[in-house]
Amino acid sequence: MIKRSIPHHQIIIQDNSLETTAIKIARQNDQPITIVSAYRPPRKPITALDLTKIFRNQGYVLVAGDLNAKHRSWSPQTQQNAAGSTIRRFCDSTGYTLNAPSEPTYFHGTTRNTTIDIAISKGMTVIDSTSIPELSSDHNPVLFEVSLDNYTSPALSTYSFPNWPKFQEILTNALPGNPIINNTNDIENAISTFNSTFHNALSNCSTFK
């Protein structure tokens, strides 16, 4: 959930290993923020390329969720798996921040409790992460508190006033023209590109009061 007063739109992320729900938060005179809620099915492998697709060409990204990834660097009592090692190496090589609660997030009756719900961030700092024991489930919800420099949430009842000539100029320069369409994936990518470009252009040409 996100406040209506925060300008945002949904985006589609094509990823072979993760099931995602993502939004892009628009910011006036600054790069947008991408927030991704992710789930990795236990039997689906994950590669560094899968992760790179989410983060590339973006300044501010937060990916959080149940990645079914185990590593001793964030869950000391667990038995590491391939996904955990891949994510650890990816963060070490890129410098992106990996955060996890100090308490377990997954509870199992016959094996050790583990932390498999984590967050990876770029361009922002996760200042706190907490596993919250408030649901009758084998998974705890996790709260990630994020600090982002120079971000101010718009006030309630915010109105935008677009500069339409500037909007047209931005859109004309940003869109590459008629995309090449060969299959359904090309259609989805073209729609996603248009939607993202449209909303970014609208945000960048508008003043908010």
Side-chain angles (χ1 to χ4, degrees):
M1 294 185 292
I2 185 170
K3 289 183 178 180
R4 291 182 179 180
S5 60
I6 299 177
H8 69 280
H9 63 276
Q10 184 178 8
I11 60 174
I12 304 299
I13 295 177
Q14 302 293 338
D15 195 288
N16 295 326
S17 60
L18 299 175
E19 299 173 7
T20 62
T21 298
I23 62 169
K24 194 178 288 286
I25 299 174
R27 296 196 294 165
Q28 190 176 12
N29 301 322
D30 209 334
Q31 294 185 56
I33 304 167
T34 300
I35 307 293
V36 182
S37 174
Y39 170 71
R40 185 187 71 86
R43 295 186 180 182
K44 276 197 174 183
I46 188 170
T47 67
L49 179 60
D50 295 325
L51 295 168
T52 299
K53 288 179 181 178
I54 298 177
F55 287 88
R56 67 184 175 190
N57 301 325
Q58 302 191 77
Y60 302 91
V61 185
L62 176 69
V63 178
D66 176 6
L67 302 186
N68 278 300
K70 302 176 183 179
H71 197 275
R72 292 190 181 93
S73 64
W74 64 79
S75 187
Q77 303 301 319
T78 194
Q79 182 176 354
Q80 296 182 178
N81 61 10
S85 297
T86 297
I87 292 172
R88 180 74 271 174
R89 286 194 301 269
F90 173 78
C91 291
D92 289 344
S93 64
T94 59
Y96 301 159
T97 304
L98 190 150
N99 294 90
S102 57
E103 310 89 354
T105 64
Y106 174 67
F107 301 86
H108 197 283
T110 58
T111 60
R112 289 180 176 176
N113 301 331
T114 57
T115 301
I116 56 178
D117 300 81
I118 60 178
I120 306 170
S121 60
K122 174 186 178 183
M124 63 186 76
T125 302
V126 177
I127 58 176
D128 192 26
S129 53
T130 307
S131 177
I132 306 173
E134 292 188 357
L135 298 179
S136 56
S137 169
D138 57 0
H139 273 269
N140 276 355
V142 179
L143 174 65
F144 293 101
E145 296 184 42
V146 178
S147 173
L148 181 68
D149 293 340
N150 71 11
Y151 177 68
T152 302
S153 177
L156 294 175
S157 301
T158 297
Y159 294 90
S160 63
F161 298 87
N163 180 331
W164 292 116
K166 183 179 179 181
F167 169 79
Q168 185 176 11
E169 179 184 355
I170 294 174
L171 206 60
T172 300
N173 293 332
L175 288 175
N178 293 330
I180 298 175
I181 303 295
N182 293 317
N183 50 52
T184 55
N185 284 336
D186 290 341
I187 295 174
E188 291 179 358
N189 289 335
I191 293 173
S192 177
T193 298
F194 176 81
N195 286 339
S196 178
T197 304
F198 177 91
H199 287 286
N200 287 339
L202 186 61
S203 174
N204 289 331
C205 78
S206 300
T207 56
F208 297 87
K209 297 181 180 180

